[in-house]
């Protein structure tokens, strides 16, 4: 790749953090709707659905020109999307929730899923090969189960995992445990199934259903993108929504090889060399959106606006979008909770400053927010602003409970 095609920018750690916050739309103008947030980020990790809804909502609305002063201190802040609005987008199929990339559950915009599945499927099947063998899923079993699953949902019925298991068992499959999970995942990766409209359990939680891929995903162009074109699209979308980041960051996030990412970069720069800029940090190239302003607000302007607390899920793209350069987060996440500690992440001006979780009750939400260090009045105000934003998202009162309180009913 000709580095002469790229504009170069010197960058310190604070600017890396500022640029990432803006690229991820955790600062600055938000996006118009939850599906716009998914489209911007291409794929959003979503195995913890109640928290993953919030990851999308946080990137909607507006935080004002500098993304600084929280609402309690008078900033003009447009409302973020609400939990029901995110759920509606998932229910009607604007956002699909499926296994893609590494693989794990991800939200993907319906207009991106077809080409992204075609690009990802070979490596996903290769990565799952050991579990397929262990579960007794050979080519014949995968083909026959795929036909059963397709017929089960053809024409509109959206079925839960348990309902799909019953259909498979009727056709002679054991369809339990890992075997069931990998039969369904094989069908998702193969473009047979995708997410349907969720249903509510008796306890009120939303439950995943499955629909026919071709009935939920647009047909796409008559001439599908070539593999090189798909790599270019993925790489461009990754670096413009998460940069500054490295080739290894992108490879680990996407499940592709570093050679694939470099090929995608070559294709992007050949087609639109003005798209990306670069900065060499610690001897490694970091790519980012060349059209973005330099870190948006300068450090002194952000400080004048006051501290900002963000409550993000531990699998938020601000965490999972990076591997080699996750250290800019300023802490270790995602982390397995110790002795019942919360596992989700508190950010103070973009760096890890504690952990949190929610507990839902009838008509209210309790937030256990634990900061890593003693906080002054300005930070405590910022924490309350974050609590207020979360309550507005849920549409019910949210209150902070004392640190270390044992909470029941955590979902």
């Amino acid at each position: 790749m000709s580095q002469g095609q790229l504009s170069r920018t010197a960058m310190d750690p604070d600017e890396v953090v500022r640029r990432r916050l803006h690229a991820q739309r955790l600062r600055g103008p938000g996006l118009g709707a939850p599906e716009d947030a998914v489209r911007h980020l291409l794929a959003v990790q979503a195995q913890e659905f109640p928290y993953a809804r919030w990851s999308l909502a946080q990137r909607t609305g507006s935080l004002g020109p500098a993304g600084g002063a929280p609402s309690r201190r008078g900033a003009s802040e447009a409302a973020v999307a609400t939990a029901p609005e995110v759920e509606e987008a998932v229910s009607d199929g604007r956002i699909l929730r499926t296994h893609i990339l590494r693989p794990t559950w991800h939200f993907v915009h319906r207009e991106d899923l077809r080409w992204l599945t075609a690009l990802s499927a070979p490596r996903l099947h290769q990565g799952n090969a050991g579990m397929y063998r262990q579960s007794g899923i050979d080519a014949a079993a995968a083909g026959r189960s795929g036909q059963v699953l397709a017929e089960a949902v053809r024409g509109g019925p959206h079925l839960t995992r348990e309902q799909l298991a019953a259909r498979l068992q009727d056709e002679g499959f054991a369809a339990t445990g890992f075997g069931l999970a990998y039969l369904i995942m094989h069908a998702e990766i193969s473009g047979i199934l995708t997410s349907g409209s969720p249903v509510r359990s008796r306890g009120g939680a939303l439950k995943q259903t499955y629909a026919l891929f071709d009935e939920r995903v647009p047909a796409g162009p008559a001439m599908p993108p070539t593999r090189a074109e798909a790599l270019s699209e993925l790489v461009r979308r990754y670096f413009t929504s998460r940069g500054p980041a490295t080739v290894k960051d992108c490879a680990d996030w996407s499940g592709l090889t570093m050679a694939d990412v470099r090929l995608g970069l070559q294709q992007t720069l050949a087609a639109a060399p003005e798209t990306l800029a670069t900065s060499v940090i610690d001897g490694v190239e970091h790519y980012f959106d060349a059209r973005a302003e330099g870190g948006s607000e300068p450090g002194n302007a952000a400080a004048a606006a006051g501290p900002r607390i963000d409550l993000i899920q531990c699998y938020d793209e601000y965490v999972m979008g990076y591997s080699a350069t996750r250290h800019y987060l300023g802490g270790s996440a995602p982390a397995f909770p110790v002795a019942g500690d919360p596992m989700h992440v508190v950010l103070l001006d973009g760096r890890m400053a504690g952990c949190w979780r929610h507990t839902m009750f009838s008509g209210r939400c309790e937030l256990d927010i634990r900061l890593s260090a003693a906080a002054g009045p300005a930070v405590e105000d910022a924490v309350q602003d974050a609590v207020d934003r979360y309550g507005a998202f849920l549409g019910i009162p949210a209150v902070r409970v004392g640190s270390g309180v044992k909470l029941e009913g955590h979902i």
Side-chain angles (χ1 to χ4, degrees):
M1 181 186 312
S2 172
Q3 298 302 322
Q5 294 174 298
L6 296 172
S7 62
R8 292 183 175 275
T9 301
M11 199 173 297
D12 62 23
D14 287 343
E15 186 172 354
V16 172
V17 169
R18 288 196 298 271
R19 283 185 178 273
R20 285 184 176 180
L21 288 168
H22 282 266
Q24 293 239 0
R25 298 301 181 96
L26 289 169
R27 294 291 185 276
L31 296 153
E35 61 267 31
D36 298 329
V38 175
R39 193 70 186 269
H40 174 66
L41 291 167
L42 184 56
V44 175
Q45 196 159 330
Q47 66 263 51
E48 294 226 6
F49 185 83
Y51 290 95
R53 301 172 307 174
W54 175 231
S55 286
L56 300 186
Q58 283 176 292
R59 291 163 166 90
T60 64
S62 174
L63 302 175
S71 56
R72 293 176 77 242
R73 292 193 289 275
S76 174
E77 185 169 334
V80 300
T82 64
E85 288 171 340
V86 178
E87 292 167 8
E88 181 182 6
V90 174
S91 182
D92 67 20
R94 286 171 281 153
I95 296 169
L96 298 170
R97 181 174 180 258
T98 192
H99 286 90
I100 201 74
L101 300 179
R102 291 182 292 280
T104 188
W105 289 110
H106 281 82
F107 288 138
V108 181
H109 195 285
R110 62 185 173 194
E111 294 181 2
D112 288 316
L113 185 55
R114 188 173 295 274
W115 70 265
L116 195 56
T117 297
L119 178 63
S120 300
R123 286 191 62 81
L124 295 179
H125 283 315
Q126 181 182 28
N128 283 346
M131 288 304 301
Y132 291 159
R133 288 192 296 271
Q134 186 176 328
S135 304
I137 303 173
D138 58 15
R144 193 163 67 88
S145 65
Q147 292 175 349
V148 172
L149 293 168
E151 288 306 313
V153 297
R154 191 179 305 280
H158 297 176
L159 302 182
T160 65
R161 175 172 164 154
E162 293 76 15
Q163 290 170 320
L164 292 180
R167 299 293 184 93
L168 288 166
Q169 289 162 6
D170 287 344
E171 298 296 326
F173 291 91
T176 59
F178 280 118
L180 172 62
Y182 278 90
L183 284 173
I184 293 175
M185 191 187 300
H186 192 289
E188 290 178 275
I189 295 169
S190 301
I192 296 169
L193 295 181
T194 191
S195 61
S197 297
V199 295
R200 290 210 176 268
S201 67
R202 290 185 178 181
L206 284 175
K207 195 170 190 178
Q208 174 92 12
T209 68
Y210 296 86
L212 194 67
F213 186 98
D214 285 339
E215 293 177 354
R216 296 280 270 184
V217 181
M223 291 291 292
T226 65
R227 188 171 188 275
E229 289 169 341
L231 286 172
S232 177
E233 179 72 2
L234 182 146
V235 166
R236 180 185 64 80
R237 301 265 287 276
Y238 172 84
F239 285 113
T240 55
S241 65
R242 292 168 178 81
T246 68
V247 166
K248 182 167 176 52
D249 286 325
C250 183
D252 289 345
W253 173 82
S254 65
L256 298 170
T257 65
M258 292 177 68
D260 280 338
V261 174
R262 291 190 182 100
L263 176 58
L265 275 169
Q266 290 173 350
Q267 295 288 322
T268 295
L269 294 173
E274 73 283 358
T275 301
L276 297 176
T278 187
S279 181
V280 178
I281 306 173
D282 296 329
V284 180
E285 295 277 3
H286 289 60
Y287 299 88
F288 58 96
D289 188 349
R291 298 161 297 183
E293 295 180 7
S296 212
E297 77 278 5
N300 59 355
R308 180 174 174 95
I309 290 286
D310 292 287
L311 307 178
I312 65 171
Q313 65 149 332
C314 64
Y315 302 115
D316 190 274
E317 292 301 312
Y318 189 72
V319 178
M320 303 306 297
Y322 314 97
S323 56
T325 65
R326 194 177 294 173
H327 57 273
Y328 287 106
L329 180 68
S332 179
F336 189 80
V338 177
D341 287 346
M343 64 186 295
H344 299 287
V345 175
V346 178
L347 297 179
L348 173 59
D349 295 331
R351 289 188 168 91
M352 190 171 176
C355 56
W356 72 286
R357 64 182 168 198
H358 73 209
T359 305
M360 306 300 297
F361 297 94
S362 178
R364 80 180 193 282
C365 171
E366 292 186 354
L367 294 174
D368 180 6
I369 300 172
R370 309 183 190 184
L371 300 181
S372 303
V379 171
E380 290 295 341
D381 281 350
V383 170
Q384 186 58 51
D385 291 331
V387 171
D388 293 343
R389 292 195 298 274
Y390 201 66
F393 158 72
L394 294 172
I396 58 176
V399 296
R400 184 183 182 188
V401 298
S403 178
V405 172
K406 181 174 175 59
L407 301 176
E408 301 297 333
H410 174 233
I411 62 172

